[in-house]
Amino acid sequence: EEEQEHDQVEPFELWFDLIYVGAMIELGSVLKSSLDINNLLTIAAMFFVLWSAWLDMTTFYTRFDLKDMFSKVVTWAYACGVLGMAVYTSDGMDHRMGFAVGYLMTRFTLAILYWRASVIPRARLMCQHMIVGNVIIGLLCIVPMFTPELVSAILFTLLAAAAFVVHAWTFRKPETRL
C-alpha cells in the first residue's frame, strides 16, 4: 500500500480564503440594504471579479509550487490587492477607484508570479501568454475608475471574463498545457 503525501494547508492560505469570505459577506450586506437592479448588477459584477481573482490564484498555485521568498512576498502583495477590493465592496461602486486599484494589483502581481514560474522550461510559453494577458487586463482596469457606476460594473465584469478568455486562449494548444 502506497503512502500518499498530503500538503498541509498553511495559515496564509486560510487567511487568504478568509479575505474572500469577508468580501462575500460584505457584498451580501450591500445587496440586502438595497435590492434595486443597479445594485444587483453592481454586486454581481464585484462578486464575479472577486471570484475570478480567487480562481486565478488557486489555478496558479495548483500548477506551480513556488516556495522562495520572492514568490511569497509577491503573493502577499496579491493578497493585499484582494484585501483592497474587499475593503471597497461595502459601498458598491461608489469607491470604484479603490476596488480598481486592488484589481490592478492582483493582475500585475499575478503577471510577476507567472514571470517567476517562466524559468521552468516546460512552462515558459504558457507563462508568457499569462503574463501578457494579465498585464493587458491590468492596464484596462484603469478605465472603470473614470466611468459612471453602472458602466464600471459592466466593465469590471468584462475584465473578469477576459481573465477566463486568457486561460482558454493559453490552454487551447497542447504546447501551452502542463
Side-chain angles (χ1 to χ4, degrees), residues 52-53 56 78 103-111 134-135 137-138 163:
S52 76
D56 285 336
Y78 186 95
Y103 191 55
L104 174 95
M105 195 168 174
T106 64
R107 296 294 97 197
F108 285 162
T109 53
L110 194 59
N134 279 294
V135 168
I137 293 168

Side-chain angles (χ1 to χ4, degrees), residues 11-92:
F12 173 77
E13 293 171 301
L14 295 173
W15 178 77
F16 190 69
D17 287 343
L18 282 174
I19 293 172
Y20 288 104
V21 170
M24 297 306 145
I25 290 169
E26 193 60 40
L27 285 175
S29 296
V30 172
L31 184 60
K32 185 179 176 185
S33 69
S34 174
L35 290 174
D36 64 24
I37 189 70
N38 285 346
N39 198 36
L40 180 63
L41 292 173
T42 299
I43 297 305
M46 294 174 95
F47 171 82
F48 190 55
V49 170
L50 284 160
W51 178 72
S52 76
W54 175 83
L55 186 63
D56 285 336
M57 185 54 79
T58 302
T59 301
F60 177 83
Y61 272 105
T62 299
R63 290 188 181 108
F64 304 105
D65 189 24
L66 303 179
K67 300 278 187 194
D68 61 292
M69 186 54 72
F70 178 80
S71 299
K72 287 182 179 185
V73 169
V74 174
T75 302
W76 272 96
Y78 186 95
C80 289
V82 173
L83 189 57
M85 286 192 297
V87 165
Y88 289 105
T89 58
S90 62
D91 295 320

Side-chain angles (χ1 to χ4, degrees), residues 114 117-129 131 178:
Y114 274 106
S118 72
V119 299
I120 303 167
R122 191 169 149 227
R124 188 164 293 127
L125 184 59
M126 185 228 7
C127 289
Q128 290 169 349
H129 287 187
I131 291 165
L178 291 180

